[in-house]
Amino acid sequence: EIIVYSPNLYIHLHDAVLMVQFLIDGFIQITSQINFKNNNVDLLLVIILGSIWGSFANVCIHRIPINKHVASGRSYCPKCKKKIVWYDNIPIFSYLFLKRKCRKCKKAISFQYILVEIMSAISFFVIYLLFGISLTTVLLITLILSFIIIFFIDLKHFIIPDVLTFPMMALGFLK
């Protein structure tokens, strides 16, 4: 049995494969039941927006636990601290093009980055297919992004930041 080790986290490869297979099967089942009346350009735009917001979610996951501002400052490599140029910061594609390594220091980039971007893109896609352009879509996208950020912060730091939970509680009361 192969075990992938990450600080504070052991993942049995078999369990990880089963989880991914479960997510893919659920995604296929949901999308097979939906009538694709939407324009393909709309769907592509939603996927692109999802991956961009996933990239921002990665910024939040990295910066919120260390009390850094998420909206200011350029993205940088967590290992060598060099700023990332715009063409190396394109969600999903840059990760694949750079072969999972920083262009400057050549150290590995965590799989978490592409995983969060893909999860966000798929979430945006499914929510848009189910609810179209609506207030419900905006609220669900906000909720799913918050859940993704909370999940990965909790996974690494064992905390759920108040800066994320309090706005979600307020949103829940308003809805």
Side-chain angles (χ1 to χ4, degrees):
E1 183 173 76
I2 299 171
I3 298 176
V4 178
Y5 175 73
S6 177
N8 302 322
L9 174 69
Y10 289 95
I11 298 176
H12 295 282
L13 191 57
H14 178 34
D15 294 338
V17 168
L18 287 176
M19 183 177 71
V20 169
Q21 184 179 4
F22 173 76
L23 290 172
I24 291 171
D25 289 345
F27 176 72
I28 290 171
Q29 185 175 358
I30 288 171
T31 55
S32 68
Q33 296 174 2
I34 296 172
N35 185 5
F36 288 92
K37 298 178 202 172
N38 301 315
N39 185 342
N40 289 336
V41 174
D42 290 352
L43 297 176
L44 182 62
L45 181 63
V46 167
I47 291 169
I48 290 169
L49 285 173
S51 64
I52 291 169
W53 279 100
S55 182
F56 178 71
N58 276 318
V59 170
C60 295
I61 292 165
H62 178 71
R63 293 184 185 182
I64 288 174
I66 58 176
N67 293 321
K68 284 194 169 186
H69 294 287
V70 295
S72 63
R74 298 271 314 267
S75 294
Y76 59 89
C77 172
K79 308 249 170 61
C80 68
K81 308 294 187 219
K82 302 277 187 199
K83 289 183 181 175
I84 298 174
V85 293
W86 70 269
Y87 51 83
D88 285 343
N89 210 13
I90 299 169
I92 301 169
F93 293 108
S94 292
Y95 184 89
L96 299 173
F97 179 74
L98 293 171
K99 297 179 182 148
R100 206 183 149 230
K101 295 183 185 207
C102 171
R103 185 182 296 271
K104 305 279 195 275
C105 67
K106 305 294 185 216
K107 293 194 176 156
I109 299 170
S110 171
F111 183 71
Q112 169 197 308
Y113 288 93
I114 193 168
L115 182 62
V116 168
E117 291 167 0
I118 291 172
M119 286 173 58
S120 299
I122 290 172
S123 299
F124 272 52
F125 177 76
V126 171
I127 291 168
Y128 178 73
L129 284 177
L130 293 173
F131 301 100
I133 298 175
S134 66
L135 178 60
T136 302
T137 299
V138 173
L139 293 174
L140 286 174
I141 283 173
T142 305
L143 185 66
I144 196 73
L145 279 175
S146 296
F147 283 165
I148 290 169
I149 295 167
I150 288 169
F151 174 79
F152 282 98
I153 289 175
D154 189 31
L155 191 66
K156 185 174 182 182
H157 300 281
F158 303 104
I159 60 170
I160 300 175
D162 291 342
V163 71
L164 295 170
T165 54
F166 290 156
M168 288 298 101
M169 288 186 334
L171 206 68
F173 286 129
L174 291 174
K175 177 65 175 145

